């Protein structure tokens, strides 16, 4: 497993990462780290690797876009001196184009999204053990749906940036596409974005599948 004793993982993102975490940085006892995939990852690491003290930090903020995350990245990620950084952003970059169509100042194009995420990568690259890029997603199996088609453009940007900068790419869009081919998205999220505990568990399992995680680890 790639995480070692006393490693610190900072998870940066929007509401999907935040999920009720303490602001601006959530960690420690209770629900400080939120109730989403970040918390499930922390739970599984603690259960399966009790001998490794891994510090989980939630730097997600509800409603954030890549523009907003970039503006606070120095404070909420870099200055925390993480060993690993996870970036999950882009859902609101797309969503605002559909729920606020007459407010172009809130819209973030694929080109700006790419620039914003790449700047974040470069702010920590070389100073951390590794960077995770977690794709944005929309739980819509119909690839012709307008918002799903638009989201796929941002997923592609994320995938290419991961390849360019040797980041670990976690494809949540593919995860949900496969899951929703069996169960309807309402089983996971009524708005097709904010996951319940089933979705949080799916996302945590997918993240850990890229970490050499062993559910049968024996200390």
């Amino acid at each position: 497993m790639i995480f070692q004793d006393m490693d610190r993982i900072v998870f940066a993102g929007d509401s999907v990462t935040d999920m009720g975490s303490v602001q601006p940085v959530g960690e420690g006892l209770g629900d400080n780290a939120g109730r989403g995939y970040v918390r499930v990852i922390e739970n599984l690491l603690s259960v399966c690797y009790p001998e490794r003290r891994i510090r989980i930090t939630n730097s997600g903020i509800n409603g954030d876009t890549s523009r907003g995350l970039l503006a606070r990245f120095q404070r909420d990620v870099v200055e925390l001196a993480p060993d690993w950084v996870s970036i999950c952003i882009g859902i609101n970059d797309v969503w605002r184009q559909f729920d606020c169509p007459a407010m172009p100042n809130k819209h973030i194009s694929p080109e700006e999204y790419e620039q914003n995420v790449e700047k974040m990568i470069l702010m920590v690259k070389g100073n951390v053990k590794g960077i995770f890029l977690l794709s944005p997603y929309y739980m819509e199996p119909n690839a012709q749906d307008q918002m799903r088609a638009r989201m796929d453009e941002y997923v592609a940007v994320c995938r290419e940036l991961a390849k360019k900068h040797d980041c670990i790419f976690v494809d949540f869009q593919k995860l949900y596409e496969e899951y929703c081919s069996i169960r309807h998205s309402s089983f996971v999220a009524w708005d097709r974005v904010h996951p319940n505990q089933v979705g949080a568990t799916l996302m945590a399992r997918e993240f850990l599948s890229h970490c050499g995680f062993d559910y049968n680890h024996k200390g």
Side-chain angles (χ1 to χ4, degrees), residues 118-135:
E118 187 163 35
K119 287 177 182 177
M120 294 181 225
I121 293 171
L122 294 174
M123 289 173 72
V124 293
K125 185 177 181 180
N127 296 316
V128 295
K129 294 181 179 180
I131 303 168
F132 292 84
L133 285 187
L134 284 49
S135 82

Side-chain angles (χ1 to χ4, degrees), residues 43-116:
N43 291 347
L44 289 170
L45 288 170
S46 296
V47 167
C48 298
Y49 291 83
E51 78 283 3
R52 302 191 195 188
R53 296 159 295 175
I54 300 172
R55 185 174 181 179
I56 301 295
T57 303
N58 191 329
S59 287
I61 289 186
N62 181 42
D64 225 351
T65 61
S66 63
R67 186 184 299 162
L69 179 55
L70 176 61
R72 63 184 180 85
F73 202 77
Q74 177 67 32
R75 181 196 69 181
D76 294 350
V77 178
V78 178
E79 291 180 9
L80 301 182
D83 297 288
W84 302 84
V85 170
S86 172
I87 301 170
C88 183
I89 199 72
I91 290 174
N92 293 315
D93 294 45
V94 174
W95 209 346
R96 295 298 83 84
Q97 298 172 44
F98 291 85
D99 63 5
C100 300
M103 302 173 69
N105 59 303
K106 292 183 176 291
H107 302 173
I108 295 176
S109 67
E111 292 76 20
E112 182 185 348
Y113 175 71
E114 180 176 7
Q115 293 170 7
N116 291 341

Side-chain angles (χ1 to χ4, degrees), residues 188-208:
V188 181
W190 282 107
D191 62 3
R192 302 189 182 190
V193 168
H194 295 97
N196 57 21
Q197 287 297 295
V198 174
T201 304
L202 284 168
M203 294 166 73
R205 184 182 68 174
E206 183 64 22
F207 178 91
L208 291 172

